[in-house]
Amino acid sequence: MAMERTISIVKPDAVGKNVIGKIYSRFEDAGLKIIAAKMKHLSQKEAEGFYAVHKERPFFKDLVSFMTSGPVMIQVLEGESAVAKNREIMGATNPKEAAAGTIRADFAQSIDENAVHGSDSVENAAIEIAYFFSATEICPRTR
Ligand code: RTP
Ligand code: MG
C-alpha cells in the first residue's frame, strides 16, 4: 500500500460542537498522522474556490454559506492509503446512511451539516493541500 496525504476539514458544525479533539482521535486511532493543521474562518471567496467543482450544483450556495458560518479546522493527514482510509472513517456524505462508528454517524446531523470533509482522490488531495498550505507549513514526522 502507498503512503498518501489527504486533506481533512472539521466543518463549522463540528467545531461548534467542540469535538475537534474527538475527531482527531479517530484519525490517530486509524494510524493517520496529522502533519499540518490550521484553524481558519473561510471567506466566501475561499469557500467558493475550494468547492469550485460543485459550483453548478443546486446545493452550492448553501454549502458555501455553511462553510463560512464559523471557523473550520483544516489538516493534512498522512498514512497508508490515507485518502480511502479517511473517507472510511468519515462515513457516507449523508449521516443517515453513514456506518455506525463513523465520524458522520456520531457527530453529524444532516447532509448539509456533515461534520467533516475529506479529499476524494490522491489527485484532488494534492490540489486541496496546495490550496490551504504552503510547503513550509507541512511537517513530515521525523520520529
Ligand atoms: P466533502 O466533499 O465535504 O468531503 O463531502 P463528500 O465528498 O462526501 O460529498 P460531495 O459530493 O463532495 O459534496 C460536498 C458537500 O456538499 C454537500 N452536499 N449536499 N443536499 C445535497 O444533496 C448535497 N450533496 C452534497 C455536503 O455537505 C457534502 O459534504
Ligand atoms: Mg467531496
Side-chain angles (χ1 to χ4, degrees):
M1 274 192 268
M3 287 296 281
E4 294 173 356
R5 291 176 179 180
T6 191
I7 277 276
S8 157
I9 302 178
V10 180
K11 294 184 177 182
D13 59 324
V15 173
K17 283 182 175 171
N18 211 22
V19 293
I20 295 170
K22 285 184 174 147
I23 291 173
Y24 272 24
S25 289
R26 307 287 176 104
F27 303 143
E28 292 174 348
D29 291 347
L32 293 170
K33 292 174 178 170
I34 296 162
I35 60 165
K38 63 174 70 163
M39 183 174 266
K40 215 169 155 45
H41 194 138
L42 298 180
S43 68
Q44 185 168 330
K45 271 211 166 79
E46 285 170 325
E48 285 174 352
F50 182 72
Y51 277 121
V53 289
H54 293 312
K55 67 174 182 293
E56 305 302 335
R57 308 281 287 276
F59 56 81
F60 182 69
K61 208 162 165 257
D62 287 345
L63 178 60
V64 168
S65 161
F66 165 59
M67 289 299 286
T68 58
S69 67
V72 296
M73 192 74 202
I74 312 166
Q75 41 284 329
V76 178
L77 306 177
E78 185 175 72
E80 281 189 2
S81 304
V83 172
K85 197 177 271 185
N86 181 43
R87 300 281 300 186
E88 194 182 320
I89 297 166
M90 288 163 57
T93 308
N94 185 347
K96 292 178 180 69
E97 292 162 11
T102 60
I103 293 168
R104 283 168 168 164
D106 291 344
F107 301 116
Q109 46 282 306
S110 70
I111 192 166
D112 300 306
E113 302 203 351
N114 59 3
V116 279
H117 163 83
S119 309
D120 59 13
S121 66
V122 172
E123 294 71 30
N124 284 336
I127 293 167
E128 292 177 2
I129 290 167
Y131 191 79
F132 285 122
F133 294 94
S134 63
T136 55
E137 290 176 314
I138 298 173
C139 307
R141 299 295 172 84
T142 52
R143 52 189 291 176

